[in-house]
Amino acid sequence: MKMNFKKIFSGAIASVMMLAMSAASFAAYAEGDDEIISDGNLEFKYIDGGVEIVGCDKSVTELNIQERLNGYSVIKIGAEAFRDCAKLKKVTLPETVKTIDSAAFMNCYSLEEINISGAIDTLGECVFWNCAMLDGVELKGELQSIPSGTFYNCQLLTGVDIPESVTYIGASAFDNCITMEKIEIPESVTIIDANAFRNCYLIDKLNLPPGLTGIGGGAFINCYNLSEITLAESNSVYTVENNILYDKQKTTILTSAPLAISGKVEIPRTVKTIQAYAFAGCTELEAIDIPASISVIDEGTFSYCSSLTEVKVPDGVKEIGVMAFSNCDKLVKVQLPATLNTI
């Protein structure tokens, strides 16, 4: 029997080409394909390991995202995927989602409920920024951080379950969460960045983790309802005395618990810096002994101290910041030093 080598060779070439094309297609999928695909109210693209949601119909009010789209697992909510979906009220994410990228739900003003079924390993910045109607979020998984602006201006947020794996709470992470009454900061947290809990007016107790090594400026500004600040004595960087938070050497006052401060407060002579708004809202503070070691009385330091009647600013103070004594309604006498340059 005579064999047709030409046909055999042609068939072999075709098979090789098909294998090559399949390999190329798989490689393109593995590296990520920027083609945007529509599926009902959602837009998505293929990425390494599955599917990323990248967009949504702005008129949608409720979404129950399935685990698979076109046969692939939904593993990521992309940056700004639902940004400005102002009518969106409820979202359910499948267990397959591991990443929610930056600003994914920014300005979803009407979002009241988000059900996160699975374990989220990565959050981007500003994920729920300005979700003013959101009242609670349960985060599960091995999150390392609550990034900057995550829950900024979530005005109805009453609480968030922060995983024990979190070590970092970013700048303005809970800024302006004006109805949040309680926050449990895990012992794993080592850094609380600037303005992290600013304007959380209703938080009543602050139990700081023993391994805390960094607190950014204004982290607890305007937490007027604070009645107690606690911190393990074993902490090597900070200390609490009479509900005033100091650095360990007592050279800096970071903040105080306004509802626990009353009568006269004598600031230790070791203190050189009082951070902005440190005693703001201490409505029962009647007198303050400021040591000569202070050179600057910062912005808003004693604002809304409505029982304060008289202040002697010691020699050595060179600057008094804006609103340092604003809304001190009973303040009738302030003695200023010759060293003062700026007011």
Side-chain angles (χ1 to χ4, degrees), residues 124-284:
E125 294 185 350
C126 306
V127 166
F128 299 106
W129 177 286
N130 209 23
C131 293
M133 303 296 288
L134 189 64
D135 68 357
V137 177
E138 182 180 2
L139 296 172
K140 295 171 283 189
E142 294 301 315
L143 274 176
Q144 297 299 303
S145 70
I146 306 295
S148 299
T150 298
F151 295 101
Y152 174 82
N153 203 41
C154 292
Q155 295 188 8
L156 295 186
L157 192 70
T158 56
V160 173
D161 293 325
I162 302 176
E164 292 290 338
S165 53
V166 169
T167 61
Y168 172 74
I169 297 177
S172 294
F174 295 93
D175 194 343
N176 219 43
C177 293
I178 59 176
T179 59
M180 188 164 65
E181 296 181 3
K182 297 186 182 299
I183 187 73
E184 292 188 12
I185 302 173
E187 291 194 358
S188 54
V189 170
T190 59
I191 296 176
I192 300 173
D193 218 333
N195 302 325
F197 295 95
R198 179 174 60 178
N199 296 341
C200 292
Y201 302 126
L202 300 184
I203 291 178
D204 60 348
K205 293 183 180 180
L206 190 59
N207 183 21
L208 298 173
L212 192 64
T213 59
I215 301 175
F220 304 103
I221 280 180
N222 298 338
C223 293
Y224 294 134
N225 202 46
L226 267 181
S227 61
E228 184 180 22
I229 302 175
T230 58
L231 174 66
E233 291 184 9
S234 59
N235 187 281
S236 62
V237 181
Y238 301 104
T239 188
V240 174
E241 185 176 296
N242 297 324
N243 285 293
I244 299 173
L245 178 63
Y246 301 85
D247 67 330
K248 198 70 172 181
Q249 291 72 36
K250 288 190 178 180
T251 61
T252 300
I253 292 177
L254 290 85
T255 193
S256 63
L259 295 189
I261 305 298
S262 62
K264 182 177 181 179
V265 170
E266 294 187 8
I267 297 175
R269 298 298 182 255
T270 54
V271 173
K272 296 180 180 179
T273 302
I274 305 175
Q275 290 192 357
Y277 296 90
F279 290 95
C282 293
T283 57
E284 298 301 315

